[in-house]
């Protein structure tokens, strides 16, 4: 760790040699020349391609087309098939490899770069969807398991890169807003992706698999998402509106990043108290998708529920993301308020889920294609529909807050890539266990799986409370962020001519 602790005192950044690299734009700090920094306007906002906001939008659309389509297909229950067995086993393989690779994905992302990580990840989603189109016609079980395991590797890199961008690119006072922007665009992929099976299965009142066209559409979209990754610029090229740059390693090596992975535990050991929140964050998806949506509703109603689920995530992200950036409230107070809000929602929404779950069991809803399941025309559908909407809202609130908590601990892009890797790896370990439990020949009762979701969420909030109370600060000093990198203050501070303080941005 000591080898990374550089002198962080301010350097002479106003020398003629330094300033010669920059040109001034009207009303904005100076920037290098080149197409990446050519100014354009979006409404009243002036920006450029290599700005945090534009780069966030690009990575959000990559996730819109790749994980967004994955979510749309998975939200149908059974990965679009009428029986959940193949999807359960493929997802068990997916999250098992994701848990292993994801935990160390920050190391690979920091060394290989975000573009390669995202493109490689996108291709995994394309192969995964292809395997289920193949399974529908050939029952090739081995291909679906392989595709799931491969996607676990690919997704680990994709989500580590995404997390680093979303948490380290924005200034401190806008992190909640950037997280909400990402979550809105990303989940719009789930919404639009859900409209595909809804439109193609609008008259399917039986319990059947989605059409071939649904799978083909998802294959094309995920492939396009992988290619879109190359539209990103390197992190070292990104310049914020205040003229500051992202804190990264200038000269990363495989050894420096492997060592850096373990240094995180030495510098930030308290991060382990957030691990239960990470573990719980995808545990409930299996219950939502298979044990509520697939178990209780027919094909077209599953598609409608799926659309509503991802739509509600957009609203959850907007409300929590913007609330977490309120200027009138200190960041420490916002962190405490977010924890209280999650605690209240956990008991309010999942309390309603308990009342709903008491109404059916596995034996009362046998998994047979011939069983007539609930339709949106059925009397009493409105109640379960709103419960499913609130489940989606809750998911967005949870994920937004967890990302914001991590982003509030540091602004260092290298460290946040590791945090994101920990998050996705541990999250995937939980998901792998839950998918496996649901995929057993004699799976646990629905009520037992429901109780595990509720208990994990509530318990993990209590364990995370010391981090919220003691480690979230109103501002992280620059010297603290630089300790985990080989950069100095001169590499990242605002350039000459900026009228803003570090961490501010005109939006």
């Amino acid at each position: 760790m000591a080898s990374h602790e550089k002198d962080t005192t301010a350097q002479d950044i106003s020398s003629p040699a330094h300033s010669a690299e920059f040109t001034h734009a009207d009303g904005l700090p100076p920037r290098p020349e080149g197409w990446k920094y050519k100014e354009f306007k979006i409404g009243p906002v002036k920006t450029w391609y290599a700005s945090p906001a534009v780069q966030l939008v690009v990575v959000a659309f990559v996730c819109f087309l790749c994980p967004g389509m994955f979510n749309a297909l998975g939200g149908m229950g059974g990965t679009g098939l009428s029986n959940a067995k193949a999807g359960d086993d493929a997802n068990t393989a997916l999250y098992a490899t994701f848990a292993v690779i994801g935990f160390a994905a920050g190391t690979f992302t920091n060394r290989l770069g975000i573009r390669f990580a995202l493109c490689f990840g996108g291709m995994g989603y394309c192969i995964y969807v292809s395997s289920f189109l193949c399974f529908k016609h050939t029952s090739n079980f081995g291909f679906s398991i392989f595709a799931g395991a491969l996607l676990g590797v690919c997704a680990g890199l994709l989500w580590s890169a995404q997390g680093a961008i979303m948490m380290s690119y924005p200034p401190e006072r806008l992190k909640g807003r950037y997280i909400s922007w990402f979550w809105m665009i990303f989940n719009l992929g789930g919404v639009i992706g859900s409209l595909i099976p809804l439109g193609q299965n609008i008259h399917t009142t039986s319990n059947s698999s989605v059409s071939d066209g649904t799978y083909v559409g998802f294959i094309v979209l995920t492939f396009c998402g992988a290619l879109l990754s190359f539209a990103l610029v390197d992190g070292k090229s990104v310049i914020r509106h205040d003229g500051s740059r992202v804190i990264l390693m200038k000269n990363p090596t495989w050894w420096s990043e492997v060592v850096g992975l373990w240094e995180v535990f030495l510098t930030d050991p308290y991060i382990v108290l957030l691990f239960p929140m990470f573990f719980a964050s995808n545990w409930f998806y299996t219950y939502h998708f298979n044990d509520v949506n697939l178990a209780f509703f027919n094909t077209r109603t599953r598609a409608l529920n799926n659309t509503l689920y991802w739509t509600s995530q957009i609203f959850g992200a907007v409300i929590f993301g913007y609330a977490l950036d309120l200027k009138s409230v200190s960041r420490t107070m916002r962190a405490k308020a977010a924890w209280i809000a999650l605690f209240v929602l956990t008991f309010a929404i999942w309390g309603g889920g308990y009342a709903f779950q008491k109404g059916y069991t596995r034996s009362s809803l046998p998994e047979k294609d011939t069983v007539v399941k609930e339709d949106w025309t059925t009397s009493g559908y409105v109640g379960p529909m709103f419960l499913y909407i609130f489940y989606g809202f809750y998911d967005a609130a949870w994920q937004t807050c967890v990302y914001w908590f991590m982003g509030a601990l540091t602004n260092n892009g290298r460290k946040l890539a590791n945090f994101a890797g920990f998050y996705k790896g541990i999250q995937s370990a939980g998901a792998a266990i839950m998918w496996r439990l649901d995929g057993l020949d004699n799976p646990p009762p629905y009520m037992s799986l429901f109780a595990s979701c509720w208990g994990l969420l509530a318990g993990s909030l209590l364990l995370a409370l010391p981090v919220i109370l003691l480690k979230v600060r109103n501002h992280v000093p620059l010297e603290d962020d630089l300790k985990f990198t080989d950069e100095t203050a001169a590499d990242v501070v605002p350039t000459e001519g900026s009228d803003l303080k570090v961490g501010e941005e005109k939006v």
Side-chain angles (χ1 to χ4, degrees):
M1 182 175 73
S3 61
H4 298 306
E5 293 183 0
K6 304 289 184 180
D7 178 17
T8 59
T9 56
Q11 307 293 317
D12 181 12
I13 63 171
S14 59
S15 65
H18 181 88
S19 300
E21 300 179 9
F22 295 85
T23 57
H24 288 260
D26 184 23
L28 290 173
R31 301 185 303 279
E33 295 181 349
W35 66 270
K36 291 183 289 190
Y37 306 104
K38 187 176 181 180
E39 182 184 311
F40 60 90
K41 294 184 69 175
I42 302 177
V45 179
K46 294 180 181 180
T47 191
W48 46 90
Y49 192 76
S51 67
V54 173
Q55 294 301 295
L56 179 89
V57 169
V58 174
V59 77
F61 274 105
V62 171
C63 292
F64 169 102
L65 292 167
C66 295
M69 297 303 113
F70 170 86
N71 284 346
L73 190 61
M76 287 289 295
T79 324
L81 303 173
S82 59
N83 189 287
K85 177 63 176 175
D88 278 353
D89 289 349
N91 283 329
T92 300
L94 187 168
Y95 289 111
T97 55
F98 197 165
V100 175
I101 299 299
F103 197 81
T107 298
F108 292 97
T109 299
N110 286 331
R111 181 64 184 88
L112 299 174
I114 57 174
R115 282 182 292 188
F116 178 83
L118 287 165
C119 181
F120 181 68
M123 288 300 178
Y125 286 93
C126 184
I127 295 170
Y128 177 84
V129 177
S130 301
S131 74
F132 285 96
L133 176 59
C134 176
F135 185 89
K136 181 181 176 183
H137 293 281
T138 67
S139 297
N140 190 336
F141 193 76
F143 183 28
S144 64
I145 299 300
F146 166 78
L150 175 63
L151 179 55
V153 176
C154 297
L157 295 182
L158 181 144
W159 281 105
S160 176
Q162 173 275 333
I165 290 172
M166 187 174 68
M167 292 187 287
S168 68
Y169 281 21
E172 285 187 336
R173 72 180 186 87
L174 296 178
K175 289 194 176 187
R177 199 171 305 182
Y178 271 61
I179 293 169
S180 71
W181 292 346
F182 169 83
W183 218 252
M184 288 163 57
I185 296 171
F186 162 52
N187 282 304
L188 188 60
V191 173
I192 295 176
S194 300
L195 291 174
I196 296 173
L198 177 60
Q200 293 181 336
N201 299 279
I202 194 72
H203 301 298
T204 306
T205 57
S206 62
N207 183 34
S208 59
S209 302
V210 298
S211 66
D212 289 356
T214 300
Y215 287 114
V216 171
F218 286 166
I219 291 169
V220 172
L221 292 171
T222 51
F223 181 74
C224 291
L227 296 182
L228 182 61
S229 302
F230 289 107
L232 289 163
V233 302
D234 292 332
K236 62 184 178 182
S237 299
V238 175
I239 297 180
R240 301 188 182 98
H241 281 64
D242 66 355
S244 63
R245 295 176 181 265
V246 181
I247 300 173
L248 301 164
M249 284 287 284
K250 286 188 292 186
N251 301 296
T253 64
W254 282 113
W255 179 246
S256 72
E257 297 317 302
V258 170
V259 171
L261 176 66
W262 300 110
E263 285 181 346
V264 171
F265 290 106
L266 297 177
T267 60
D268 304 84
Y270 54 82
I271 194 67
V272 298
L273 292 176
L274 294 181
F275 283 3
M277 286 192 79
F278 300 172
F279 188 81
S281 61
N282 267 18
W283 181 275
F284 50 76
Y285 276 172
T286 309
Y287 174 76
H288 287 170
F289 300 156
N290 280 5
D291 303 335
V292 177
N293 207 21
L294 177 63
F296 201 74
F297 301 101
N298 63 26
T299 301
R300 71 174 187 177
T301 310
R302 283 157 51 197
L304 175 61
N305 291 342
N306 201 23
T307 303
L308 296 173
Y309 185 92
W310 299 116
T311 301
S312 67
Q313 295 236 6
I314 295 174
F315 290 99
V318 170
I319 292 171
F320 272 79
Y322 276 75
L324 287 167
D325 279 348
L326 285 176
K327 295 180 182 179
S328 58
V329 181
S330 68
R331 187 160 74 165
T332 54
M333 186 58 67
R334 279 178 268 149
K336 296 169 187 174
W339 186 91
I340 293 171
L342 287 180
F343 193 83
V344 171
L345 287 175
T346 297
F347 283 89
I349 294 174
W350 288 87
Y354 173 72
F356 173 73
Q357 186 55 71
K358 290 192 298 183
Y360 67 97
T361 63
R362 290 190 186 274
S363 59
S364 68
L365 297 174
E367 295 185 5
K368 295 180 180 179
D369 293 353
T370 56
V371 171
V372 177
K373 297 193 176 183
E374 296 296 308
D375 186 68
W376 64 50
T377 60
T378 304
S379 176
Y381 166 69
V382 173
M385 178 194 73
F386 274 104
L387 174 63
Y388 210 67
I389 288 172
F390 285 122
Y391 275 151
F393 180 92
Y394 180 86
D395 179 31
W398 187 274
Q399 308 280 359
T400 299
C401 288
V402 172
Y403 271 117
W404 188 86
F405 291 152
M406 289 189 289
L409 298 174
T410 181
N411 300 303
N412 185 296
R414 180 176 179 237
K415 184 176 291 186
L416 285 170
N418 285 313
F419 280 5
F422 297 162
Y423 179 46
K424 301 306 292 188
I426 295 168
Q427 176 188 76
S428 300
I433 296 170
M434 188 60 156
W435 282 108
R436 182 56 187 153
L437 288 173
D438 194 64
L440 294 172
D441 292 334
N442 294 302
Y446 289 145
M447 183 60 79
S448 297
L449 296 180
F450 168 85
S452 70
C453 296
W454 196 1
L456 276 172
L457 291 166
S460 66
L461 278 173
L462 295 176
L463 291 173
L465 185 57
V467 178
I468 309 304
L469 295 177
L470 303 176
K471 291 299 179 180
V472 175
R473 294 178 285 178
N474 288 321
H475 172 67
V476 180
L478 179 61
E479 55 269 21
D480 287 357
D481 285 326
L482 288 172
K483 287 178 181 177
F484 196 68
T485 184
D486 58 357
E487 292 188 316
T488 64
D491 297 313
V492 298
V493 295
T495 58
E496 181 190 9
S498 172
D499 60 348
L500 301 176
K501 297 179 181 178
V502 176
E504 292 186 328
E505 183 169 339
K506 289 182 177 179
V507 175

